[in-house]
Amino acid sequence: ANAYAKSLWDRYKVPVHSVWPPVLWSEAFRRPLRDFAAAAADRRAKWVQRFGFSPRAIFLFAGRWSAEKRIHLLIDAMPQDCGLIIVGDSDADYADEIEASAQRNVLPERGMLGAEELRVAYAASDLFVSASTCETLGNTVVEAWSSGTPVAIQPVGGHLEFVKDEENSYFVDFDDSGVARKRLSSIVAAGVKAAVEPALSEMGEHFRHLNFPAEIQRLLLDPALSAKSKWRAMKGWRWMLEILVRVILLLACGLIWPFTSVWSRAYFAVSCDPKYRHVPAGSANEPDFESKPSGSNSESCCSTSVSDSHNESARPLVHSESSFV
């Protein structure tokens, strides 16, 4: 997301010239809204029956059930007269907690959904909600809009890429459950979809018809080819200087790499906060954060994961991102 590109520049002065465009992973999300209207109405009726009451609005979370998604904050912020559907799964112990969190207005539906099932779930809900603070882009936002559903999300990271508060969707600070609950109630009272039209429909239409190969060409390939052409057009001393700079940088990388490789391995070997260990590829499971007391060291089960100390408002992050896994 451009938000991360800006962060890289602000923190490290690393320029990012192009950002990967959003992509809908299934053609089901490109189909018109009317194709799913009947199935969505049927799914919604089943949800209402399982709730045992008629919610003023039905909220949906769809995604991986892991700690960095902060699904527990959605449950804490849920207004009593609204319902929350939680769709997804994972192999973390956190997923077991979410599955056990069912209550009068919270309905966890554990299991992976196919593209059409997920599209129906989006269409059957009034508002998609996410308290995640680690989204690199947040494809769920694009999926929800393509299904005609607005979003209420934590205003951070990739969530900032397309959402404009109270214009095409909503920002909600889920760190404070009381504030978030009042905010969600006010959104419902104002009319969840009516308050953000026509921008909501325009964004949905845009993403349903987005030509991904053409966007790759425009955003990634054309700028790269243009830069290549400019480099090849250099002549005289500028060309010689460019070659000299590249050779120096290559030699510098070759000299620095052995030192950094040995240093990082040594650091991992002696570090105790957090602890690191390497495991065979494909054998890592998400760690059990709940079993670690506050302030204790956390041991990552993944060679590239770093976990922080547990607290109520921000669970440890094991950073990963996908559309719906």
Side-chain angles (χ1 to χ4, degrees), residues 174-191:
F174 289 99
D175 288 330
D176 187 321
S177 60
V179 171
R181 191 179 303 110
K182 291 180 181 178
R183 172 72 164 144
L184 292 173
S185 294
S186 67
I187 290 172
V188 173

Side-chain angles (χ1 to χ4, degrees), residues 203-320:
M203 293 302 292
E205 191 73 11
H206 168 74
F207 286 115
R208 283 195 300 274
H209 293 89
L210 188 68
N211 187 327
F212 183 71
E215 288 295 290
I216 289 289
Q217 181 74 34
R218 181 178 69 86
L219 295 174
L220 301 181
L221 299 182
D222 287 346
L225 293 173
S226 176
K228 178 182 178 181
S229 298
K230 289 180 181 179
W231 184 80
R232 285 189 168 181
M234 288 192 299
K235 297 179 180 179
W237 67 270
R238 291 185 177 179
W239 182 81
M240 294 297 295
L241 179 62
E242 178 71 17
I243 294 296
L244 179 61
V245 169
R246 293 188 179 210
V247 170
I248 292 174
L249 291 176
L250 178 62
L251 292 174
C253 288
L255 292 173
I256 293 172
W257 177 80
F259 170 77
T260 56
S261 178
V262 171
W263 178 88
S264 61
R265 288 283 178 163
Y267 177 79
F268 291 165
V270 301
S271 175
C272 60
D273 188 16
K275 295 180 180 178
Y276 298 83
R277 63 188 174 92
H278 293 272
V279 297
S283 66
N285 291 322
E286 294 193 49
D288 174 14
F289 297 118
E290 291 305 313
S291 64
K292 304 293 188 290
S294 178
S296 67
N297 296 335
S298 299
E299 176 171 294
S300 171
C301 291
C302 181
S303 59
T304 58
S305 298
V306 180
S307 60
D308 301 324
S309 295
H310 171 79
N311 60 59
E312 289 301 319
S313 62
R315 301 209 177 205
L317 304 183
V318 180
H319 192 92
S320 59

Side-chain angles (χ1 to χ4, degrees), residues 1 5 7 33 55 59 61 69 79 84 91 94 119-120 132 156 162 168 199 212 234 248 255 281 305 316:
S7 177
L33 302 183
F59 301 155
F61 172 83
K69 298 295 185 179
L84 173 63
D91 61 358
Y94 183 79
R119 173 71 190 270
V120 169
S132 175
V156 66
F162 300 113
N168 56 29
F212 183 71
M234 288 192 299
I248 292 174
L255 292 173
S305 298

Side-chain angles (χ1 to χ4, degrees), residues 71-93:
I71 304 170
H72 59 288
L73 296 184
L74 302 178
I75 298 172
D76 294 342
M78 195 53 40
Q80 287 300 309
D81 57 356
C82 297
L84 173 63
I85 304 293
I86 308 173
V87 173
D89 200 356
S90 82
D91 61 358
D93 290 339

Side-chain angles (χ1 to χ4, degrees), residues 51 53 78-85 103-107:
F51 279 129
F53 74 104
M78 195 53 40
Q80 287 300 309
D81 57 356
C82 297
L84 173 63
I85 304 293
Q103 54 195 51
R104 175 179 174 272
N105 64 338
V106 176
L107 180 59

